[in-house]
Amino acid sequence: MKVSAAALLSLALMAGVSTPALAAGELPRTVLPVVYDITIDPDAKAKTFTGRETLTVDVKQSTSTIILNAADLTITSAMFDGEKAAFTLSPDDQTMTITLPAAAKPGKHVLSFVWSGKINDTAAGFFAIDYKNPDGSDARMLATQFEAPDARRFAPMFDEPAFKATFKLSAVAPSGQTAFSNMPATITPQQDGRKLFSFAETPVMSSYLLFLGMGDVERKTVMAGKTEIGVITRRGVVDQGDYALASAKRLLTYYNDYFGQPYPLPKLDMIAGPGSSQFFGAMENWGAIFYFEPTLLFDPKRATQSGRERIFTVVAHEVAHQWFGDLVTMRWWDDLWLNEGFASWMENKASNDLNPDWFSKASAVANDREGAIGLDATAATHPIIQKVETVDQIGEAFDGITYQKGQAVIGMIESTIGADAFRAGIRTYMAKFKYRNTETDQLWAELEKASGKPVVTSAHDFTLQGGVPMVTLTGATCANGQTQVLLSQGRFGLDAPSKKPQTWHVPLTLGMVGGPVTSTVVSGEAPTLVNVQGCGTIVLNRDKGSYLRARYDDAGHAALVRDYTKMELTDRLGTLGDDFALALSGDQDLARYLALIGEVKPDANPLELAKVSDQLGTIIGVFEGTPLETPVRARTVAFLGPVMKRVGFEEQAGESPLITNLRENAIRRLGVNGDPEVAAAARRYVAALIADGSAIPPAIRGPILATYAVNATPAEWDALLKLTRATTNPVVRNGYVQLLGSARDAALANRALELLTADDFTAPQKSSLLRAIAGRHADLAFDYAIAHLDLVNSFLETSTRSGYVPSLGSGSSDPAMPAKILAFAEKNLPAASQGGAKRTVAVMGIRQQLADRTRPAVTAWVK
């Protein structure tokens, strides 16, 4: 249904009036934006721009001052209803206070501004992406990145998600270049030969979703119903967008049906930027989704199968945001998970439904679930819905709890109330709150209404407190074809703070292997008696739909090992994850996990083999730099050797995508562990690459290059540096730069550090290079950053500065490193921005605890 602009504005203003008490740092609600009319004139060469803005506002109560956001702007004029207005800027809280000539009465008024700003080297506000054309000449694309608080670096704005308004954007572009934004444009030639792009007025939306891009680009389109889907790229690579275009067309049809609300804009562009970011890979700007090239463009000469899948899931994530985030938006950043958790869940759901041979649901159990629990089971955790007050805290909110735990909790609720009822609730939610802002409880209310089942109690337990519940099964007894078990709820944790007792109402399914499922809710330490149909091997959390760790008594676990291969794939993967984690936490002996992986044979499902490979990699990391490192590496090579024989180096026609991905995993793990056969193969392939850029088969390109880089000799590193500097393809070049920081040889890591002052590397490349060095040489990278802090800050994005330097030291085994990280934070960061450093130190402490807990069992295993 097409909604008029007047109706949309009315909805937005109603939402603004009815908002609850403001969080610290929020702007007052006495004045609301209605329509922004902004014109931008950039000078790409000088990396500056000028802007003009006419902003229609609705004054809700008489006021003599108006406060809005502005950062890094030089404002030369401010007017209110045509009269000059005084103003002051507050850089610390990024606000602008306008003192009106006379008190403004309630009603519509007009603010206008003139300003100049800077085009940044990193993705904050208006920024430049520098790259090489195929002929080696320099090129520059301009783009914007406004989430979370950076639209204020582009224009004076009420830069908070609750201040929805419409936007009329115009931009002047040089002859031969194209400007692109959220809406279609009309183009007017200018007397100086340039062109004015005037974009149609947007629907009501939040400021962080506005987008402007400009450059020498190509555009290719397909139609999905009445919506034009486009891909915009640097010149010469637009055909690499064909896969993303086809994927977006499938996804738009899928989401139109799932959400029950048709995509409301006339076009949906996907823009490929030939750069990188420390913070994000893609951004859901409404109608103009921005991606960095590896997450959008499929190059058949270089892309792996996992890269292909990554493109689909990122497109699925961002297109899902066009509804969850763009059409309906969280009121404040406390509820960021409403955007990101749902989009993360939706990307897997869509992938599983549209590409069943990828086994996306099982893969999410093996990877996303484990990633969420791994962070949530530490002192570094926080509630999904967390208090956000500062700019740095907004940036810190974009983490595994928000994305992966959010995704897991949404999946748990769907599995509890049923897929049909869940979708009905989502459709009602979308219809009721479109073009408005919401808080989490409004979603729970619609799901309860649609399902007729309680949602709020469990949902609050999992979103308003951090941590992971652990459900323990004991005392199974069978009689008359029915088994009675006792279930109790505790807490799973990897360190002392995360083991502090806590209570959840845990929705849970259980049943015999291959048998029917029983549903229950477990809460508290007191055992709950549950009757299960049948006798045999009981599996807790069948299909791994709920967010928890499952633990068994001796008899129950022995039965699981015995019948491991009879379980469903999701249950096998989930049990591998649970057993490994319970050993790390000290809740059970590592011997249980080792017995379980004894049942994972070389012909097992590739997802199981990859899971074990990753877990063995974790053990290597725990004991890196100790006497156990070498024997653990040897056991890992012994486990993966038969797997490598199964998959080989060459992709076979018609093979399963799971086999292709397993080959990547096996080569990378073996190569990083110094397997001589894989290392030799990598050297042969890269030697050929120097003469032929497509010499490495696409299916193994990533792990082969990683193997080469980790094991590089000085001469080989020199060859890689020469190859990097000779490469004009910006995506390939970015990848090579990261590889230069991956060498195991400390002398080569020092040579890589010298490149941080090179003129031919961009700011994002330097950031990725230093992070790569930290991956193998944490102490070296951290100490360098402290000694050259101004240099490092010069290539960091604003939103990452509070966490980037502390994270460099996270892999250190030096007992002094935690204190060094905290000292850095105390000296250089405000108290409210030290959360990233504290979380880094907490995770480092856990690594030592894991080593202490598992050392006896690992020692016995390697012998």
Side-chain angles (χ1 to χ4, degrees):
M1 175 180 178
K2 185 176 180 180
V3 183
S4 70
L8 299 183
L9 286 169
S10 175
L11 286 173
L13 297 176
M14 287 168 56
V17 171
S18 62
T19 52
L22 302 182
E26 288 190 70
L27 296 174
R29 297 299 192 264
T30 52
V31 179
L32 304 178
V34 179
V35 181
Y36 293 89
D37 192 336
I38 301 171
T39 300
I40 299 295
D41 188 348
D43 183 338
K45 184 177 181 180
K47 291 197 287 192
T48 60
F49 69 98
T50 58
R52 303 190 312 274
E53 174 181 271
T54 301
L55 169 55
T56 302
V57 297
D58 188 2
V59 175
K60 307 306 293 184
Q61 63 186 59
S62 181
T63 182
S64 297
T65 60
I66 297 175
I67 302 175
L68 67 165
N69 296 110
D72 295 338
L73 301 178
T74 301
I75 298 174
T76 55
S77 173
M79 303 186 75
F80 182 77
D81 286 343
E83 294 186 45
K84 186 175 181 180
F87 63 90
T88 58
L89 297 171
S90 177
D92 289 342
D93 58 11
Q94 301 179 354
T95 59
M96 174 184 186
T97 301
I98 302 166
T99 302
L100 304 181
K105 296 179 180 180
K108 299 292 177 63
H109 297 270
V110 176
L111 281 167
S112 58
F113 305 99
V114 179
W115 70 94
S116 61
K118 60 182 180 180
I119 298 173
N120 296 306
D121 292 324
T122 57
F126 206 9
F127 70 103
I129 306 172
D130 291 339
Y131 61 97
K132 297 284 187 182
N133 287 315
D135 63 3
S137 60
D138 293 330
R140 175 170 289 167
M141 180 186 290
L142 303 181
T144 58
Q145 168 59 24
F146 293 159
E147 190 180 40
D150 287 328
R152 63 194 67 177
R153 301 179 193 280
F154 182 73
M157 291 190 191
F158 293 84
D159 191 22
E160 295 176 5
F163 287 101
K164 288 197 170 188
T166 64
F167 294 82
K168 293 190 286 186
L169 181 64
S170 299
V172 182
S175 176
Q177 293 202 1
T178 302
F180 35 96
S181 184
N182 308 78
M183 298 291 284
T186 56
I187 305 171
T188 306
Q190 304 294 288
Q191 290 184 347
D192 61 4
R194 297 187 299 164
K195 297 173 291 185
L196 177 67
F197 288 76
S198 301
F199 299 98
E201 187 171 353
T202 70
V204 173
M205 68 182 195
S206 301
S207 56
Y208 76 91
L209 298 171
L210 184 65
F211 177 81
L212 175 65
M214 190 177 297
D216 180 17
V217 299
E218 295 181 280
R219 182 171 185 257
K220 193 172 188 177
T221 65
V222 297
M223 294 299 296
K226 296 180 180 180
T227 304
E228 181 182 76
I229 304 175
V231 64
I232 297 173
T233 73
R234 58 186 166 91
R235 192 163 297 279
V237 295
V238 72
D239 290 343
Q240 293 180 20
D242 288 348
Y243 174 66
L245 277 175
S247 299
K249 181 174 181 176
R250 296 174 70 201
L251 287 160
L252 201 67
T253 302
Y254 179 90
Y255 290 149
N256 277 333
D257 174 67
Y258 187 87
F259 291 119
Q261 295 291 319
Y263 175 77
L265 277 66
K267 61 95 175 173
L268 175 58
D269 275 328
M270 299 183 291
I271 299 102
S276 64
S277 166
Q278 303 128 29
F279 183 59
F280 73 106
M283 174 61 205
E284 65 268 18
N285 314 297
W286 212 1
I289 305 172
F290 180 84
Y291 303 77
F292 288 106
E293 282 192 14
T295 58
L296 185 69
L297 302 187
F298 180 75
D299 182 353
K301 295 180 179 179
R302 296 180 175 88
T304 59
Q305 171 63 23
S306 64
R308 182 187 184 94
E309 292 177 18
R310 170 74 173 156
I311 290 169
F312 187 92
T313 56
V314 173
V315 171
H317 182 105
E318 302 307 328
V319 176
H321 270 312
Q322 306 300 291
W323 286 264
F324 240 101
D326 297 4
L327 182 63
V328 181
T329 313
M330 78 270 152
R331 190 194 69 80
W332 180 245
W333 301 106
D334 291 7
D335 284 308
L336 175 65
W337 90 285
L338 275 178
N339 287 14
E340 300 301 347
F342 199 96
S344 298
W345 177 78
M346 205 75 214
E347 76 181 51
N348 279 307
K349 185 176 184 67
S351 297
N352 197 66
D353 289 349
L354 298 178
N355 303 292
D357 58 338
W358 293 358
F359 291 81
S360 297
K361 181 179 179 180
S363 181
V365 169
N367 300 308
D368 298 336
R369 170 182 182 264
E370 293 302 314
I373 293 178
L375 180 58
D376 203 17
T378 72
T381 191
H382 60 78
I384 287 178
I385 301 172
Q386 59 181 318
K387 197 67 176 175
V388 171
E389 296 180 351
T390 69
V391 169
D392 285 337
Q393 287 172 346
I394 295 173
E396 291 173 6
F398 290 81
D399 67 1
I401 300 295
T402 296
Y403 284 73
Q404 294 170 314
K405 182 179 180 180
Q407 162 189 339
V409 169
I410 290 167
M412 178 177 68
I413 293 171
E414 187 209 33
S415 68
T416 301
I417 69 175
D420 291 342
F422 184 85
R423 182 175 63 177
I426 293 300
R427 286 177 168 178
T428 303
Y429 174 84
M430 283 291 158
K432 185 174 182 178
F433 296 110
K434 59 187 177 182
Y435 304 106
R436 296 174 64 183
N437 297 88
T438 61
E439 294 182 327
T440 297
D441 278 348
Q442 292 169 297
L443 174 61
W444 301 150
E446 299 307 321
L447 293 176
E448 281 201 343
K449 289 177 187 176
S451 65
K453 296 180 180 180
V455 169
V456 171
T457 300
S458 286
H460 279 177
D461 288 348
F462 284 89
T463 58
L464 299 180
Q465 61 183 357
V468 184
M470 178 171 64
V471 175
T472 300
L473 179 150
T474 58
T477 58
C478 181
N480 301 318
Q482 184 171 272
T483 297
Q484 285 190 337
V485 299
L486 294 174
L487 302 179
S488 59
Q489 175 256 299
R491 183 175 180 183
F492 170 77
L494 294 171
D495 54 14
S498 62
K499 291 177 179 289
K500 183 180 179 181
Q502 203 163 269
T503 301
W504 292 262
H505 293 79
V506 183
L508 175 69
T509 59
L510 65 161
M512 302 299 165
V513 171
V517 169
T518 297
S519 299
T520 189
V521 175
V522 183
S523 184
E525 295 181 354
T528 300
L529 183 66
V530 180
N531 294 315
V532 183
Q533 185 177 339
C535 297
T537 299
I538 296 180
V539 180
L540 283 175
N541 195 17
R542 282 277 294 271
D543 207 27
K544 300 302 174 274
S546 291
Y547 184 77
L548 57 91
R549 285 290 184 212
R551 185 175 65 167
Y552 301 80
D553 60 16
D554 289 342
H557 191 272
L560 281 181
V561 175
R562 182 187 65 236
D563 289 338
Y564 172 81
T565 58
K566 298 178 182 178
M567 289 193 289
E568 295 294 328
L569 176 60
T570 49
D571 290 326
R572 299 199 300 272
L573 291 166
T575 303
L576 284 168
D578 287 339
D579 267 11
F580 184 68
L582 290 167
L584 297 182
S585 68
D587 288 296
Q588 66 184 35
D589 194 275
L590 185 67
R592 280 192 173 188
Y593 167 75
L594 297 175
L596 195 69
I597 65 172
E599 301 302 313
V600 183
K601 308 301 182 185
D603 62 349
N605 185 286
L607 289 176
E608 294 171 84
L609 294 165
K611 183 75 247 174
V612 175
S613 170
D614 293 343
Q615 290 169 334
L616 295 178
T618 297
I619 296 177
I620 292 169
V622 168
F623 291 102
E624 190 168 9
T626 75
L628 282 173
E629 178 183 357
T630 298
V632 172
R633 288 188 185 278
R635 287 302 301 262
T636 301
V637 170
F639 175 83
L640 289 174
V643 176
M644 193 66 222
K645 289 182 179 178
R646 172 186 173 185
V647 299
F649 281 97
E650 301 295 331
E651 183 179 12
Q652 303 300 310
E655 73 181 16
S656 164
L658 297 185
I659 291 291
T660 311
N661 289 337
L662 177 61
R663 181 183 295 108
E664 283 188 58
N665 183 292
I667 291 174
R668 190 180 300 270
R669 187 75 60 198
L670 287 166
V672 167
N673 281 284
D675 178 78
E677 181 181 353
V678 175
R683 289 187 166 103
R684 290 195 302 272
Y685 277 118
V686 176
L689 182 71
I690 294 172
D692 177 5
S694 58
I696 305 176
I700 61 172
R701 181 182 176 88
I704 286 292
L705 287 171
T707 296
Y708 177 88
V710 169
N711 298 292
T713 65
E716 289 165 346
W717 191 89
D718 284 337
L720 181 58
L721 177 60
K722 183 177 180 181
L723 187 63
T724 303
R725 285 184 157 144
T727 299
T728 57
N729 183 309
V731 174
V732 177
R733 183 180 172 91
N734 290 343
Y736 286 164
V737 169
Q738 291 185 49
L739 292 173
L740 288 167
S742 302
R744 187 178 285 117
D745 186 336
L748 295 179
N750 274 297
R751 291 188 60 192
L753 286 174
E754 295 173 4
L755 298 175
L756 295 175
T757 58
D759 293 334
D760 56 344
F761 285 3
T762 65
Q765 287 169 345
K766 292 176 181 178
S767 164
S768 66
L769 175 61
L770 183 54
R771 191 175 290 283
I773 295 167
R776 304 244 165 238
H777 307 278
D779 299 276
L780 184 67
F782 181 84
D783 290 345
Y784 180 92
I786 296 300
H788 303 83
L789 191 56
D790 289 343
L791 169 66
V792 172
N793 280 334
S794 74
F795 56 67
L796 295 184
E797 294 163 20
T798 304
S799 58
T800 67
R801 285 183 178 174
S802 64
Y804 181 92
V805 172
S807 72
L808 296 176
S810 62
S812 171
S813 299
D814 181 356
M817 180 56 78
K820 290 167 66 175
I821 291 173
L822 293 177
F824 162 81
E826 182 70 24
K827 179 180 178 181
N828 296 281
L829 301 173
S833 302
Q834 294 177 19
K838 293 175 181 178
R839 283 192 287 273
T840 296
V841 168
V843 172
M844 292 175 70
I846 288 171
R847 189 167 65 245
Q848 183 58 51
Q849 295 177 45
L850 302 187
D852 294 340
R853 288 174 188 149
T854 58
R855 186 175 289 106
V858 171
T859 300
W861 176 55
V862 298
K863 288 182 179 179

